[in-house]
Amino acid sequence: MQANLSIKGITVQNIYSQYLLGYYLINRRYQRKLVWSIDEKAKFIDSILNGYPIPMILGANYKKADDSNALEVLDGMQRLNAVTSFIEGEFSVSSHYFNLEAIAQTKAKKDSGELIQKEPALPIDECAKILDYPVPFSIFDESEPLKLDESFRRINTGGRTLSKQDVRQAGSLGLIPESINEAAIYIRKDSSHSNFVDLRNMRSISLSNRGLAYGINLTDIFWAKHGIITQDNIRMSRDEELVAHLLSYIADCVGAQTTSHYLDEIYDSQTNEAEQLARQINKLGKETLLRHFKHVFEELKKTIECRDQNFKSLVFKGKPNKVTQVYQVIFIAMHKAIIQENLKIANYENLQSSLEGIFDAHLTSLNSDQKWTAQEREALSNAVLGVIRKNFAPKVGIDRNLSGWVENLENILNESRTEQVCYDFKMGFCQITGAQSPFLPKVVSKIVKTLTAMTNTKPGECYVIVGVADKESDALIHDTHFGSTSVRYKTFFITGIDEEAKMYHGDLSQLEQKIIQQIDKEPISDEFKAQIKANLVTFSYGAKEICLFKAVRGTEPAMYHEKFYARALSHNEEIESTKYFTFFKMFEKDSALAQK
């Protein structure tokens, strides 16, 4: 049956009003990030100002769990962002900024101090031309994921100039592209709690550009920081190409190839290459694959940076060449040592010394004009392994960094910006102001209650992290009390719980035992207790120990003390008994939508 399609013009002013209401949703399975530069945005707004025709916005009607309407944007995210960000004064057109007095919403934001008028301001009549411009929309009613996926693929492979990797990703779903995307996001740190992100929140998880104050600074991304992939190439998703080569090797070291054609094939689920790689990933396990990848990446990163080194300057004595291929070779050599041979790094500084100038000493064959092959990659990684193996020692016991419960803290902190109701942070379990207490059971009780409220509010994983302050003033109080120094990550301060454990409990294990004992006393179901205890983990972030609580929504809402709670921003709110029917209905619908 053909989907119902409508073509209409929506004025820029109405677009902005809808934007403020959270009407536009971005599905990150398809659209990873905002990538337009200021010049590209300004050129688009100039077209509107001068009445030129612009491409159509394409979207599908979407019904939220609360039955409110939204639009899933299939094509046009960059254009919608250009419109809304110009109105909010992010950039100028012909050296003039949008006049915040032109519409009630921006005037109110200006009066409250949320927006600041930048000068010179565009005359009101010129702003009116922009606000009255009818942006063409093509909207269809379609809720079947496969049809939406195919629509996106066709839209984005039908003539626009995209990078090879962007073309591969367009509408490509399933185990392989999802694994590659997760691993690439882990490194870029532009993760979001769910696939659907309000357009208003895309800025905080997109890549910055010259003059843009976005959430992820390109220069801070590992690939750019170490000269492995240029900033422009990261924007073109070349980092995901490199990740794809590494993941495919980890999963299938025999079948994985080094060519661009191989990447084309594994992104097409109908090919033999994709079927074989998917079998190997399923055999290993997706979560295991990603844990191995992340662990080797972190160990290599730690090795490079242990004495403030840069990858490119470390491994090359002369002019750098074939940098991404060199990184592949060294990464695979590390994987062979850490995962295949079950070794651990004995001394990071000595290992770093072994990597100094390794290209010039052992990898110059990459300079030849011969085609880069899987056989050459294998031979060179074996050569590098022979050079660096002396810096490894046998591994004893279980490596916590490879356990299934360890999450990447920085990604979780980044995700918290887009889904506040799924994250909460606490400095510790003790009270360090007023009447001091070495351990407060009520802190654990509040954490458990918060987890029930979070899972009742949103599907998916929810976190409470202890050892993190979201205010600098709180971190300073903690540092003064314990004589320690917090580690800053963006707007967060990693205080850790190790000093608290030593001062009041003897060690971390004794504090952990008290936490578990308190969880057993909590007025929640035995199933929820078991889940919290199973997911409870402490892990190291630098020299700081973090305690992570995690819970996942079940088939039914969770109760605390025979009451239901939901999360509203950073607070727990009790559900009134008169609203139980609406609450259960919303819970079921939200859970069903999350399964699509």
Side-chain angles (χ1 to χ4, degrees), residues 172-186:
S172 181
L173 302 173
L175 179 63
I176 295 171
E178 288 172 7
S179 299
I180 294 168
N181 183 39
E182 284 186 39
I185 282 176
Y186 175 88

Side-chain angles (χ1 to χ4, degrees), residues 7 42 66 191 272 358 396 513:
I7 309 294
D66 61 1
S191 55
N272 292 331
I358 198 165
V396 178
Q513 189 60 38

Side-chain angles (χ1 to χ4, degrees), residues 508-535:
L508 189 60
S509 63
Q510 294 183 58
L511 174 57
E512 288 175 343
Q513 189 60 38
K514 291 181 180 179
I515 295 168
I516 291 171
Q517 290 170 355
Q518 184 58 39
I519 292 172
D520 283 329
K521 298 176 184 177
E522 291 301 306
I524 56 175
S525 69
D526 290 341
E527 293 79 8
F528 207 76
K529 286 180 185 177
Q531 181 189 161
I532 294 175
K533 289 191 291 184
N535 289 341

Side-chain angles (χ1 to χ4, degrees), residues 42 58 93 155 161 167 193 198 368 378 436 489 529:
L58 296 125
V93 173
I155 289 164
T161 302
V167 172
H193 180 266
D198 190 320
S368 70
E378 186 69 10
Q436 296 179 9
Y489 176 74
K529 286 180 185 177

Side-chain angles (χ1 to χ4, degrees), residues 18-78:
Q18 292 172 333
Y19 165 79
L20 293 178
L21 294 172
Y23 179 69
Y24 297 105
L25 295 180
I26 307 302
N27 191 333
R28 296 199 76 214
R29 293 191 308 166
Y30 320 125
Q31 308 196 68
R32 311 289 197 237
K33 53 193 176 287
L34 298 170
V35 297
W36 272 13
S37 66
I38 283 183
D39 289 342
E40 289 170 312
K41 291 184 180 186
K43 186 176 181 180
F44 179 73
I45 298 299
D46 185 71
S47 294
I48 292 177
L49 180 60
N50 287 287
Y52 292 116
I54 60 173
M56 189 175 287
I57 307 289
L58 296 125
N61 286 320
Y62 183 90
K63 185 73 73 173
K64 295 182 179 179
D66 61 1
D67 282 332
S68 62
N69 295 318
L71 186 75
E72 180 180 343
V73 180
L74 298 178
D75 188 57
M77 175 180 69
Q78 311 295 338

Side-chain angles (χ1 to χ4, degrees), residues 59 79 162 183 252 360 438 545 578:
R79 281 163 270 155
L162 299 175
D252 184 11
D360 302 85
E545 286 291 328
T578 57

Side-chain angles (χ1 to χ4, degrees), residues 93-157:
V93 173
S94 299
S95 301
H96 285 75
Y97 293 89
F98 184 80
N99 194 322
L100 299 179
E101 297 285 335
I103 52 175
Q105 294 103 320
T106 52
K107 184 180 185 304
K109 289 190 172 192
K110 175 188 173 186
D111 292 343
S112 67
E114 187 177 345
L115 294 178
I116 298 173
Q117 179 65 63
K118 296 179 181 178
E119 301 293 343
L122 195 67
I124 293 289
D125 60 334
E126 295 289 281
C127 291
K129 291 180 183 178
I130 296 173
L131 294 168
D132 293 338
Y133 186 98
V135 176
F137 275 72
S138 175
I139 302 172
F140 71 111
D141 290 318
E142 183 57 70
S143 59
E144 189 176 329
L146 289 177
K147 287 190 176 180
L148 292 178
D149 298 340
E150 178 62 13
S151 298
F152 183 84
R153 188 192 66 79
R154 294 188 180 202
I155 289 164
N156 286 280
T157 58

